[in-house]
Amino acid sequence: MTQLKERLLKLYEENEIKVDIAFFLGGFFFDVWTLSDIDDPVAITQQVVYLLILGSILYFDFLKSHGFISIHRKLERIWEYRQLAVHFLLGSLLSVYSLFFLKSASLFSSLIFILLLLGLMVANELKRVRESEINLKIGLFVICLFSFFSMMVPTALGFVGLVPFILSLTLTGGALYGIYVLLKKKVQDEVILRKSLVIPSGTVLALFLVFYLLGWIPPVPLSIQNMGIYHSVEKVEGAYVLSYETPSWQFWQRGDQNFKAEPQDKIYFFAQIFSPARFSDSVILHWYYKDPVHGWQTTDKIPMTIAGGREGGYRGFASKQNYSEGRWRISVETTDGREIGRIYFDVTKVSEINPHRAFYKDIFR
């Protein structure tokens, strides 16, 4: 058994980078395949356990790297594998939060944030980052910690907006202050604490605040499951019947994004929006028209109340009868102005009614 351990340790030391990357990707794909709903109790418990283990490893690594503790001789072999655990846990947590943010993101407004988050996952595997001081890993841990609270707080409160965001920042800061107090009992040097804990943590939280003010942070846990432009939307026995002209082979079109408007036609916008159980909030359907001279101009802001807990998402629609020919877009936004989704469409007015016009129909139950 001793010889086997020696061989495994030697194999790990010779292929350390490859093994660490494999563990990081293992954590990533493990949660991609097992991703549950954002309010699933088992998934929440798993995240809490992962965060506690990751925080504990970094706590002792902080003390060890600055010479405030030493690892017992019998535990040295186990301690050498801590980086594998850190890589697996970071890969798992960052994958979960990236996927949830991605589901809630409108790439038009949140692309930079999503790319930064995915970039951090890749950067964690770069040799220069791997060999850096522990403050960088603490920064990644703070990102995971804030991401956890930013998803759990609005899920618990049942709405998104400034209050859940501020509360998420406060809870993250409170948890970090608790870690600071624990470390200060063993680390008397304020310079070390400031450099390796306070500065990286404060920087991450400040960036999240800036991203929120810019509208870049997706409004988790809301997400658009489906949306489109239609000629009519009817509710029949609890189901929504959507009528459109676009042939089904044009699969990239969502309804009639090339809307041929005959006299008396209305433009209908239909959306399915997912939110967790006990969730009750409103979204704004923001209609824009691209004026040939002045560019995009707001024409309407229509509120739509949503209720959570439905597996297929909350279904709702809005219509518009007075419109101009040209380029349009509709943005689905939260009450604090963050965009969940966006759709573009073109309106072409036809002067005569076509009595032979045929419609395809989709049914959403």
Side-chain angles (χ1 to χ4, degrees):
M1 183 64 69
T2 303
Q3 290 181 346
L4 178 61
K5 290 181 180 179
E6 293 287 348
R7 290 175 61 185
L8 289 175
L9 181 59
K10 183 179 179 181
L11 184 64
Y12 169 65
E13 290 174 347
E14 292 175 349
N15 301 274
E16 183 176 355
I17 295 178
K18 294 179 181 178
V19 174
D20 284 352
I21 291 175
F23 268 74
F24 182 85
L25 293 176
F28 179 88
F29 288 113
F30 176 80
D31 277 300
V32 169
W33 293 329
T34 61
L35 187 68
S36 304
D37 290 337
I38 197 168
D39 57 347
D40 180 68
V42 175
I44 294 172
T45 302
Q46 180 188 14
Q47 292 171 49
V48 171
V49 171
Y50 279 17
L51 287 168
L52 288 174
I53 295 175
L54 181 59
S56 299
I57 293 175
L58 293 177
Y59 170 80
F60 288 107
D61 204 8
F62 183 99
L63 296 175
K64 173 70 167 59
S65 63
H66 290 95
F68 292 100
I69 62 169
S70 58
I71 303 300
H72 193 279
R73 182 173 55 83
K74 293 183 178 180
L75 299 176
E76 285 182 352
R77 288 292 178 85
I78 298 177
W79 182 249
E80 290 178 0
Y81 294 100
R82 72 190 183 283
Q83 294 298 343
L84 294 178
V86 169
H87 277 70
F88 180 86
L89 295 171
L90 280 175
S92 180
L93 290 169
L94 286 172
S95 69
V96 167
Y97 301 138
S98 296
L99 290 169
F100 278 130
F101 277 128
L102 191 59
K103 287 175 65 176
S104 296
S106 168
L107 294 182
F108 297 100
S109 60
S110 303
L111 179 61
I112 295 177
F113 177 79
I114 295 298
L115 289 177
L116 285 173
L117 202 59
L118 294 175
L120 286 172
M121 295 176 60
V122 176
N124 186 57
E125 296 308 315
L126 298 178
K127 183 176 180 181
R128 183 177 178 182
V129 174
R130 289 157 48 82
E131 296 176 350
S132 64
E133 297 180 359
I134 193 173
N135 53 358
L136 209 64
K137 294 184 178 65
I138 289 176
L140 292 173
F141 172 71
V142 176
I143 290 173
C144 293
L145 193 61
F146 174 79
S147 297
F148 172 78
F149 284 123
S150 69
M151 295 179 185
M152 293 302 104
V153 170
T155 299
L157 294 180
F159 61 93
V160 297
L162 180 61
V163 172
F165 174 78
I166 295 299
L167 188 54
S168 300
L169 273 182
T170 303
L171 289 172
T172 306
L176 293 171
Y177 179 73
I179 296 173
Y180 174 85
V181 171
L182 289 175
L183 285 172
K184 194 172 182 181
K185 292 179 180 180
K186 296 184 176 294
V187 182
Q188 304 301 322
D189 193 332
E190 288 284 348
V191 175
I192 293 177
L193 287 172
R194 191 182 308 115
K195 177 184 176 183
S196 298
L197 179 65
V198 177
I199 291 178
S201 301
T203 300
V204 169
L205 294 182
L207 285 174
F208 274 118
L209 178 59
V210 171
F211 292 160
Y212 176 83
L213 295 175
L214 291 173
W216 289 357
I217 298 181
V220 175
L222 299 179
S223 63
I224 293 282
Q225 294 186 311
N226 181 65
M227 61 178 172
I229 304 297
Y230 299 92
H231 271 81
S232 72
V233 177
E234 300 175 280
K235 192 172 183 180
V236 181
E237 297 179 351
Y240 286 85
V241 181
L242 316 179
S243 300
Y244 58 98
E245 291 186 280
T246 305
S248 58
W249 63 267
Q250 294 183 8
F251 57 88
W252 60 89
Q253 293 279 342
R254 289 177 286 179
D256 287 324
Q257 287 182 260
N258 292 312
F259 193 93
K260 294 180 181 179
E262 294 186 0
Q264 306 305 315
D265 274 355
K266 289 184 179 180
I267 299 173
Y268 286 84
F269 171 76
F270 175 84
Q272 283 182 293
I273 303 175
F274 172 81
S275 60
R278 299 179 301 279
F279 203 90
S280 180
D281 203 354
S282 296
V283 296
I284 306 298
L285 306 182
H286 194 162
W287 295 63
Y288 293 88
Y289 171 67
K290 191 172 185 180
D291 185 273
V293 177
H294 301 101
W296 290 109
Q297 301 293 312
T298 296
T299 63
D300 299 276
K301 287 186 176 183
I302 303 173
M304 185 172 78
T305 302
I306 58 175
R310 192 175 185 279
E311 186 176 350
Y314 178 86
R315 301 157 301 166
F317 67 94
S319 64
K320 187 172 181 60
Q321 188 166 13
N322 298 316
Y323 49 84
S324 300
E325 191 175 55
R327 185 71 165 165
W328 288 79
R329 86 167 190 249
I330 298 175
S331 295
V332 183
E333 302 170 354
T334 60
T335 52
D336 61 341
R338 287 183 289 170
E339 189 176 83
I340 310 172
R342 181 189 302 186
I343 188 170
Y344 290 89
F345 61 100
D346 294 290
V347 176
T348 303
K349 288 193 173 183
V350 180
S351 59
E352 297 182 358
I353 296 177
N354 178 10
H356 304 292
R357 184 164 60 162
F359 291 104
Y360 301 92
K361 293 186 183 294
D362 281 340
I363 300 176
F364 288 85
R365 301 188 182 279

